[in-house]
Amino acid sequence: MARTRQVQLRSSKVSYLATKTKATKTSDATKMTTAVKTAKATKTDKVAKTTNPSKTVKKLRVTESAKHRQDELRKSRQAAHYAASISDLLAAIYYDINRVCITYRAVRRLKRTEFLPFYKWQFEQADKVVRIVANLNVEEVDPCNKKDTDVVCRLDGIDLFTQELGWKMLAICAFSDGFRIMCRDQQDIGFWEAFIDACEKNALSLGIFARSRNLDWRGLLSPHLKSGIVRIKNALAEPPSKLTDMHPHQIVRQLDGTLAKTHHDKTRQINTENCIFDPEKFTGEDPTIRTAEHGSCDLCGSDDPCDCLLDGLAGTLVELVEYPDKGVGIRSLTKFKKGDILGEYTGEIRPENYLGDPVYSLNLIHKNDQHKSLALISAVRYGNWTRFISHSCNSSTKFECRTIGKRIMMTVEAARDIGMFEEITIDYGLSYWTGIRGNCRCGESDCISKEA
Ligand SMILES: C[S@@+](CC[C@H](N)C(=O)[O-])C[C@H]1O[C@@H](n2cnc3c(N)ncnc32)[C@H](O)[C@@H]1O
């Protein structure tokens, strides 16, 4: 039986706890840093009083730019030092938020009330984090207040986080177990600084991720409207999202940071989780229906049609991003392992000689005969996120033909481990780049179009 595995995304708690940096500095250390900074500032003031003012301004500027450079250097060293833990933590945050949103949707839309206690608990925990930081900004609170030590004990990092990234980002991240564990345990302010930097770089991505999945971050902030904290008021003044009615895979973050709806030749592209068979568009039986000639199920091994389904979890942890020279592509918001099935390539089933979609169509091939094409899967109008994967001459995924449950399908599978925030790529095949579609711009050293 072919090696297959549904994606096994690691539990956020476990992955973060495994990499959590040991506490090295205490909050006293932070106070010390502040004291040193103050002492330095006082020293500078003294210098200003005893020397020529113009020289001093210059000197101060030089000192400032040197300090800025030093600061940048220190930050980049910190980032490199903590990179692995931070990328694990960010993966945990996306994973946790996604889980909360899936649960919320199950309760609200599917009336799956058994998930309500989990959602309520997550909301309460997130609420505690926001409340503690809000209290801190209104009045001094005892950071070791017994009541709340289970949620947040270290206020330096989380307060800095809120100052730098704002209340909306705090409310979004507060829904994550991984983030809350960090708030409770992480005493190293250097780690917090590097983490804040990484979050800042991905703030837009996190914001879109939360908004397009309907995360109720406003619900956490609105009780604090009366607190007088202006930045909370400002965060809530942001107009409510227009993205909530759209599937996350119909929204693209463009190079200039703006959002666009997916389209091709002025026609909107719609998300579909399954292939669409229309007898008016394909003569004969639906070629995606499993028959004996397609062998056993690749998930359970059964020789008869079974109830196995490919779960779509991997697809919920990717985002659509515009890449230079290539158009829309796919950015991973988690880590995948070699062999993971990332998703099914979906679209409308068309005959093999269909010429209406030269850009997105893929052959549905026979599992036991790679040269036999059963149909075309045309994804120009209907399809899922997999249709946006760019080509690379050194790709991270590959197409496979699979028998799963009652169907046969083309899947996208990890050909090697894929890192957090990496662009997911696939090999379109040599013939793709010989026609009207221009040259490959993957930039790999052995790119097929390099000489072109
Ligand atoms: C299946 S679509 C992928 C999604 C597409 N980028 C979009 O914006 O909808 C294939 C098209 O993407 C672009 N593309 C993908 N990979 C590319 C690459 N390595 N170099 C240049 N263009 C690429 C080309 O325009 C190609 O025809």
Side-chain angles (χ1 to χ4, degrees):
M1 196 179 80
R3 172 186 46 76
T4 55
R5 187 173 72 231
Q6 304 245 36
V7 177
Q8 289 162 4
L9 298 167
R10 284 173 298 160
S11 148
S12 56
K13 266 190 211 171
V14 177
S15 63
Y16 176 61
L17 280 175
T19 54
K20 185 169 71 66
T21 346
K22 282 261 181 305
T24 49
K25 294 176 194 169
T26 61
S27 46
D28 288 345
T30 331
K31 280 176 200 151
M32 241 165 66
T33 329
T34 324
V36 172
K37 274 184 199 159
T38 325
K40 273 185 187 162
T42 326
K43 211 169 160 190
T44 324
D45 285 347
K46 273 183 193 159
V47 172
K49 277 173 203 158
T50 53
T51 50
N52 175 329
S54 67
K55 269 190 187 167
T56 311
V57 172
K58 222 178 194 176
K59 212 174 194 177
L60 275 178
R61 270 200 212 120
V62 172
T63 325
E64 253 169 40
S65 73
K67 196 174 159 289
H68 180 72
R69 272 204 307 278
Q70 264 178 5
D71 217 39
E72 290 296 301
L73 194 68
R74 183 180 59 80
K75 276 190 178 169
S76 74
R77 279 200 193 125
Q78 259 176 13
H81 180 65
Y82 297 122
S85 313
I86 285 173
S87 112
D88 272 354
L89 182 56
L90 281 164
I93 291 173
Y94 281 99
Y95 178 89
D96 292 344
I97 292 174
N98 192 42
R99 194 174 50 151
V100 170
C101 295
I102 290 173
T103 314
Y104 183 69
R105 227 180 9 252
V107 174
R108 283 286 301 268
R109 295 205 186 146
L110 309 175
K111 309 285 176 236
R112 299 281 299 268
T113 45
E114 70 270 28
F115 294 127
L116 191 59
F118 172 79
Y119 180 74
K120 272 188 164 171
W121 187 84
Q122 288 290 340
F123 191 93
E124 280 163 19
Q125 299 304 304
D127 181 57
K128 271 189 191 177
V129 173
V130 173
R131 199 153 25 86
I132 288 171
V133 188
N135 285 343
L136 176 77
N137 280 266
V138 175
E139 53 185 288
E140 269 310 304
V141 290
D142 175 6
C144 290
N145 179 345
K146 282 279 175 293
K147 254 193 345 211
D148 286 322
T149 41
D150 58 326
V151 183
V152 179
C153 184
R154 309 288 154 200
L155 289 173
D156 299 315
I158 194 174
D159 194 34
L160 188 64
F161 179 93
T162 315
Q163 297 302 331
E164 298 275 325
L165 302 178
W167 289 88
K168 176 180 162 186
M169 197 52 71
L170 175 73
I172 290 175
C173 293
F175 276 102
S176 155
D177 279 340
F179 180 77
R180 292 194 300 262
I181 291 170
M182 162 152 159
C183 291
R184 190 191 62 197
D185 296 346
Q186 185 54 264
Q187 305 170 42
D188 183 348
I189 202 73
F191 184 95
W192 272 99
E193 283 179 348
F195 171 66
I196 290 167
D197 250 25
C199 281
E200 199 172 6
K201 287 190 186 109
N202 290 287
L204 196 56
S205 159
L206 265 165
I208 297 167
F209 190 82
R211 278 161 58 191
S212 62
R213 283 162 180 79
N214 252 325
L215 186 77
D216 188 19
W217 60 270
R218 286 170 185 276
L220 292 185
L221 294 187
S222 41
H224 303 284
L225 252 181
K226 288 187 199 123
S227 66
I229 301 171
V230 179
R231 292 179 75 204
I232 291 190
K233 210 169 140 193
N234 292 345
L236 286 167
E238 186 185 300
S241 169
K242 288 186 184 141
L243 304 180
T244 45
D245 296 333
M246 286 179 64
H247 191 281
H249 298 155
Q250 289 176 206
I251 305 163
V252 187
R253 180 156 53 85
Q254 302 186 108
L255 284 170
D256 62 6
T258 58
L259 302 182
K261 295 172 185 170
T262 50
H263 67 275
H264 183 76
D265 281 349
K266 296 187 180 155
T267 307
R268 287 278 311 283
Q269 290 172 308
I270 313 293
N271 189 77
T272 176
E273 301 301 343
N274 300 303
C275 278
I276 300 169
F277 176 75
D278 178 350
E280 287 188 5
K281 293 177 177 170
F282 188 90
T283 323
E285 291 295 308
D286 180 350
T288 69
I289 302 283
R290 174 181 172 187
T291 58
E293 64 174 312
H294 297 111
S296 53
C297 171
D298 284 326
L299 293 183
C300 73
S302 161
D303 288 331
D304 300 317
C306 50
D307 292 327
C308 287
L309 289 174
L310 191 60
D311 83 42
L313 184 62
T316 60
L317 289 165
V318 297
E319 65 177 346
L320 273 57
V321 173
E322 185 186 358
Y323 284 95
D325 298 332
K326 296 188 288 191
V328 184
I330 297 295
R331 186 173 181 248
S332 171
L333 300 177
T334 188
K335 294 176 178 181
F336 293 108
K337 284 263 167 239
K338 181 177 175 179
D340 283 344
I341 303 181
L342 272 50
E344 177 185 352
Y345 195 90
T346 66
E348 292 177 281
I349 301 300
R350 296 282 194 170
E352 222 215 314
N353 58 1
Y354 178 67
L355 298 175
D357 178 9
V359 174
Y360 297 88
S361 44
L362 177 74
N363 288 92
L364 173 67
I365 53 170
H366 197 289
K367 196 169 151 188
N368 302 323
D369 182 358
Q370 304 274 313
H371 300 290
K372 189 172 167 189
S373 172
L374 302 171
L376 277 190
I377 304 168
S378 163
V380 63
R381 179 124 170 82
Y382 295 95
N384 63 4
W385 65 275
T386 58
R387 66 180 145 173
F388 298 109
I389 303 177
S390 299
H391 164 93
S392 169
C393 297
N394 177 21
S395 59
S396 56
T397 64
K398 58 185 173 142
F399 290 117
E400 286 287 349
C401 176
R402 292 287 182 197
T403 306
I404 293 178
K406 295 182 174 55
R407 299 191 42 238
I408 62 157
M409 59 183 74
M410 295 303 292
T411 56
V412 171
E413 306 187 9
R416 54 173 160 81
D417 291 355
I418 299 173
M420 182 71 183
F421 297 139
E422 193 179 323
E423 182 185 10
I424 297 178
T425 56
I426 203 154
D427 189 349
Y428 292 176
L430 239 182
S431 58
Y432 191 91
W433 300 106
T434 51
I436 51 163
R437 289 158 290 220
N439 292 326
C440 170
R441 296 197 190 90
C442 70
E444 290 293 333
S445 53
D446 50 358
C447 172
I448 42 164
S449 300
K450 209 162 181 206
E451 302 306 319

